[in-house]
């Protein structure tokens, strides 16, 4: 609900602070007093065009601040999603600044915001209905939601069914795409898996083969040297044989001189070390055994591993993992073709569930449409629209427009004269008729949601007498469950207000200003009498004003 409106330097308004309460508030004043300026200022705060022409002459900027009660959870969540912090239970402040040299700024709770955000939150704060309004009730895109609200129709089962159906569609499409991609590669997959399986590469095998190859290649190079060493050490004429012979001779003469004993000990040590060398040489020959056939086999395997790795652009050690991966893809391809049938069955089941939920919505909407048509029809005659007919069209939407809200297209239509075809409200209703149709719809849709504040701009233009009284009575009834602000020229409507604001223009000969003030009971009586009689207020007009106020 709008609780306060502060206006600074907007056209003819220099400074204005207004407080608003619940119920029906009426705004009156002579033609040209500036009632439209007040609504323009409110529209500016709600994201309207920030035209520098709104800035009062001589001022540097225009500022409008609108204060609302604490926002509902849905609105608070929307603000939070847009980075605007809202303290629970705290009022919502919307401020717009327009500079005289162009450009504007917007703030929500003193935090910078875009005009786009203001326009997004505006429908949840205020509904403004005028003779040339092309939003709100006149926008067919919102008619389905209004009908659902009127009929208290729960769309959540259809929303859940639609979500499940879309998920099933996505799963089937993804599976088909994967299978289609895999199917194009089936021949390659089968060939790759076959050759990798036949190769049977093992992690670490390439390094082992490379080490063996290097060892055998080195053995080939030192084979002659090892043979020469054998000749020097082994055999009857080898070095070790001669050392042993020398040791036997020394054993016989070692006692003859100490030096001979030392020589024998040294030869014995040489024989021992020579034996060790002989053993190590045998071990080396065994390790470095060179077999041309084995080397050829190792080289062939090594080159095969490396070629396969290059072909698949992996490291040789990754060939085993690649074989497993490709075999898995091939298995999934074969299994997936069978799984498509299961996914198709799931899709069919979710489609059937959605169809049932959407059909239930259509039936509920058709029933609600009949009740809404009857409710609106009951409001037309008192508003001097008894020749008009109203209907709510519930028709199939195109498949592209199916959603969690069902398969229906909903639109409000009227025929203003007997025999005339039905058409959308905005296309065939005149200004006065359009305002009264909006009022009839709002009364029929009362207590079915919408913004907490509604503004009607001169809804009673061009009517009077009983029709004006009927409008006033319906506005009063509609205001019972919300805050309603009405700009009016009708005394019958003004008398119904719980609060009465007078908009007046004043001039000091140099500067013209527009002001607004709340009227006391006596002032209100005088203003209604002026509306009844014109420039000269008569006693008869005052008496008529009293009667209107008494019956309100």
């Amino acid at each position: 609900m709008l609780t306060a409106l502060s206006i600074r330097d907007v056209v003819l308004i220099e400074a204005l602070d207004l407080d608003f309460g619940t119920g029906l508030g009426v705004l009156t004043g002579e033609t040209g007093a500036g009632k439209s300026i007040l609504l323009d200022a409110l529209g500016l705060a709600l994201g309207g065009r920030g035209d520098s022409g709104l800035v009062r002459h001589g001022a540097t900027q225009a500022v409008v601040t609108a204060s609302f009660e604490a926002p509902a959870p849905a609105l608070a969540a929307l603000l939070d999603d847009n980075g605007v912090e809202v303290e629970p239970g705290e009022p919502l402040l919307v401020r717009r600044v327009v500079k005289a040299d162009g450009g504007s700024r917007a703030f929500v709770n003193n935090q910078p915001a875009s005009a786009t955000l203001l326009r997004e939150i505006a429908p949840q704060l205020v509904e403004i209905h005028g003779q040339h309004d092309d939003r709100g009730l006149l926008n067919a895109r919102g008619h389905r939601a209004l009908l659902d609200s009127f009929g208290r129709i729960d769309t959540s089962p259809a929303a859940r069914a639609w979500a499940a159906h879309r998920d099933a569609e996505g799963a089937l499409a993804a599976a088909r795409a994967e299978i289609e991609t895999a199917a194009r590669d089936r021949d390659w997959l089968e060939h790759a898996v076959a050759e990798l399986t036949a190769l049977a590469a093992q992690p670490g095998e390439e390094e082992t083969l490379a080490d063996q190859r290097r060892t055998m290649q080195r053995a080939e190079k030192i084979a002659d040297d090892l043979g020469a060493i054998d000749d020097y050490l082994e055999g009857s004429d080898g070095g070790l044989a001669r050392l042993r012979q020398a040791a036997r001779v020394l054993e016989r003469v070692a006692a003859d001189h100490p030096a001979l004993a030392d020589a024998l000990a040294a030869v014995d040590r040489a024989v021992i070390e020579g034996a060790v060398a002989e053993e190590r040489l045998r071990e080396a020959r065994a390790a470095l055994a060179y077999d041309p056939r084995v080397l050829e086999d190792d080289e062939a395997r090594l080159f095969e591993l490396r070629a396969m790795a290059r072909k698949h652009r992996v490291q040789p050690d990754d060939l085993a993992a690649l074989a497993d991966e490709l075999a898995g893809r091939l298995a999934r391809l074969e299994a997936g073709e069978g799984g498509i049938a299961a996914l198709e069955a799931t899709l069919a089941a979710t489609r059937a569930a959605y169809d049932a939920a959407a059909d239930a919505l259509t039936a509920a909407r058709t029933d609600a449409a009949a009740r809404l048509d009857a409710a609106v029809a009951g409001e037309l005659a008192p508003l001097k629209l008894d020749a008009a007919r109203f209907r709510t069209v519930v028709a199939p939407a195109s498949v592209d427009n199916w959603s969690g809200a069902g398969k229906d297209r909903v639109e409000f239509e009227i025929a203003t004269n007997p025999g005339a075809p039905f058409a959308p409200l905005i296309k065939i209703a005149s200004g006065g008729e359009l305002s009264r149709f909006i009022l009839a719809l709002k009364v029929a849709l009362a207590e079915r949601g919408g913004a907490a504040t509604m503004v009607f701009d001169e809804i009673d233009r061009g009517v009077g007498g009983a029709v004006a009284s009927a409008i006033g009575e319906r506005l009063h009834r509609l205001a019972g469950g919300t805050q309603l602000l009405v700009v009016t020229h009708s005394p019958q409507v003004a008398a119904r207000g719980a609060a009465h604001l007078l908009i007046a223009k004043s001039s000091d000969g140099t500067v013209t200003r527009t002001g607004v003030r709340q009227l006391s009971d006596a002032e209100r009586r005088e203003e209604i009498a002026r509306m009844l009689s014109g420039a000269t207020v008569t006693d008869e007009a005052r008496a008529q004003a009293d009667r209107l106020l008494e019956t309100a």
Side-chain angles (χ1 to χ4, degrees):
M1 184 182 78
L2 177 67
T3 58
L5 184 66
S6 174
I7 304 173
R8 297 291 184 272
D9 296 320
V10 176
V11 193
L12 299 178
I13 300 176
E14 184 175 358
L16 185 62
D17 294 293
L18 298 174
D19 294 323
F20 298 94
T22 59
L24 177 60
V26 297
L27 295 88
T28 65
E30 295 181 354
T31 300
K35 296 185 291 296
S36 63
I37 299 175
L38 198 64
L39 295 184
D40 287 344
L42 179 59
L44 180 65
L46 296 172
R49 183 180 176 185
D51 192 339
S52 60
L54 291 172
V55 181
R56 186 175 63 86
H57 179 70
T60 59
Q61 63 181 25
V63 182
V64 181
T65 305
S67 178
F68 297 89
E69 289 182 329
L75 178 55
L78 173 61
L79 292 170
D80 183 66
D81 290 343
N82 284 273
V84 177
E85 295 181 3
V86 179
E87 293 294 333
E90 291 297 315
L92 181 67
L93 297 178
V94 179
R95 178 161 54 96
R96 189 81 180 277
V97 179
V98 178
K99 294 185 176 295
D101 58 0
S104 68
R105 292 177 297 160
F107 302 86
V108 179
N109 282 359
N110 294 321
Q111 300 167 61
S114 65
T116 301
L117 177 60
L118 295 189
R119 288 190 290 271
E120 190 173 357
I121 68 175
Q124 300 186 52
L125 296 172
V126 179
E127 292 181 22
I128 300 179
H129 300 290
Q131 293 190 37
H132 305 291
D133 183 29
D134 60 355
R135 298 167 296 175
L137 293 176
L138 302 185
N139 189 339
R141 285 179 294 181
H143 290 176
R144 185 172 63 189
L146 288 170
L147 179 62
D148 289 346
S149 178
F150 172 81
R152 301 190 185 280
I153 296 172
D154 182 9
T155 61
S156 60
R160 289 192 296 270
W162 175 251
H165 179 58
R166 293 303 301 271
D167 288 345
E169 280 184 329
L172 179 58
R176 283 175 171 166
E178 183 178 356
I179 289 174
E180 182 179 352
T181 301
R184 290 196 299 266
D185 299 335
R186 179 190 286 274
D187 291 342
W188 178 84
L189 275 174
E190 290 176 342
H191 173 73
V193 169
E195 67 178 3
L196 286 169
T197 301
L199 183 64
Q202 299 298 319
E205 183 180 5
E206 189 256 357
E207 184 178 358
T208 300
L209 289 171
D211 288 343
Q212 290 176 355
R213 177 171 174 261
R214 283 192 297 269
T215 299
M216 281 192 287
Q217 287 175 335
R218 181 61 181 162
E220 182 180 13
K221 292 179 180 179
I222 66 174
D224 292 341
D225 293 334
L226 291 176
I229 292 171
D230 281 343
D231 291 340
Y232 293 143
L233 291 180
E234 298 180 359
S236 59
D237 292 331
L240 279 176
R242 292 180 177 274
L243 281 173
R244 291 187 181 100
Q245 289 174 358
R248 285 195 294 271
V249 173
L250 281 172
E251 284 178 352
R252 292 197 298 269
V253 298
D256 294 335
H257 194 279
L260 294 174
D262 291 340
L264 177 60
V267 171
D268 285 341
R269 289 195 299 272
V271 170
I272 293 171
E273 291 297 325
V276 172
E278 190 177 39
E279 179 63 26
R280 300 301 293 165
L281 283 169
R282 280 197 294 271
E283 292 177 4
R285 282 197 299 272
L288 294 172
Y290 167 64
D291 186 336
R293 186 172 59 184
V294 173
L295 176 61
E296 184 179 349
D297 290 344
D298 283 356
E299 286 184 335
R301 176 67 175 176
L302 182 62
F303 295 157
E304 188 177 14
L305 287 173
R306 290 175 174 174
M308 190 70 72
R310 285 195 300 272
K311 178 178 180 179
H312 292 283
R313 297 180 181 180
V314 297
Q315 294 299 316
D317 282 353
D318 296 330
L319 287 171
L322 177 65
D324 291 340
E325 178 188 343
L326 297 184
R329 283 178 57 185
L330 187 60
R332 286 194 299 274
L333 171 61
E334 295 168 350
E337 291 172 344
I340 288 293
L343 290 173
E344 288 174 339
T346 299
L347 179 63
T350 59
R351 172 59 188 273
Y354 174 67
D355 287 343
D359 290 345
L361 277 182
T362 300
R365 285 173 178 148
T366 302
D367 178 69
R371 290 186 282 115
L372 179 59
D373 292 351
V376 174
E379 300 292 335
L380 296 180
L383 296 174
K384 205 176 179 179
L385 295 169
D386 47 309
R389 290 170 295 148
F390 172 88
R391 74 178 183 185
T392 304
V393 176
V394 180
S398 64
V399 174
D400 291 341
N401 290 319
W402 289 5
S403 69
K407 305 177 181 179
D408 304 317
R409 175 181 62 84
V410 176
E411 187 168 6
F412 300 147
E413 294 183 343
I414 60 169
T416 55
N417 298 300
F422 280 92
L425 284 172
I426 197 171
K427 290 188 176 180
I428 63 173
S430 66
E433 288 176 329
L434 191 56
S435 296
R436 282 176 278 152
F437 268 116
I438 289 173
L439 178 59
L441 266 172
K442 289 305 297 185
V443 171
L445 294 168
E447 299 181 0
R448 295 297 190 271
T453 299
M454 284 186 288
V455 178
F456 283 90
D457 183 14
E458 299 186 354
I459 194 172
D460 51 8
R461 176 177 290 182
V463 301
V467 177
S469 294
I471 291 174
E473 188 276 329
R474 279 153 180 78
L475 289 171
H476 178 73
R477 191 197 326 163
L478 185 59
T482 186
Q483 181 188 54
L484 196 61
L485 302 177
V486 180
V487 176
T488 180
H489 291 282
S490 169
Q492 292 91 341
V493 173
R496 289 281 185 172
H500 192 146
L501 299 176
L502 177 64
I503 304 172
K505 188 188 299 182
S506 62
S507 176
D508 59 7
T510 310
V511 178
T512 301
R513 297 180 177 86
T514 289
V516 181
R517 62 188 178 88
Q518 185 162 337
L519 301 182
S520 65
D521 290 343
E523 290 171 330
R524 185 180 181 194
R525 170 177 174 266
E526 195 70 10
E527 170 63 9
I528 292 174
R530 181 199 64 76
M531 297 171 73
L532 285 164
S533 62
T536 302
V537 179
T538 64
D539 290 339
E540 183 180 353
R542 292 187 179 95
Q544 179 64 19
D546 287 336
R547 286 192 290 273
L548 287 176
L549 289 168
E550 288 172 1
T551 57

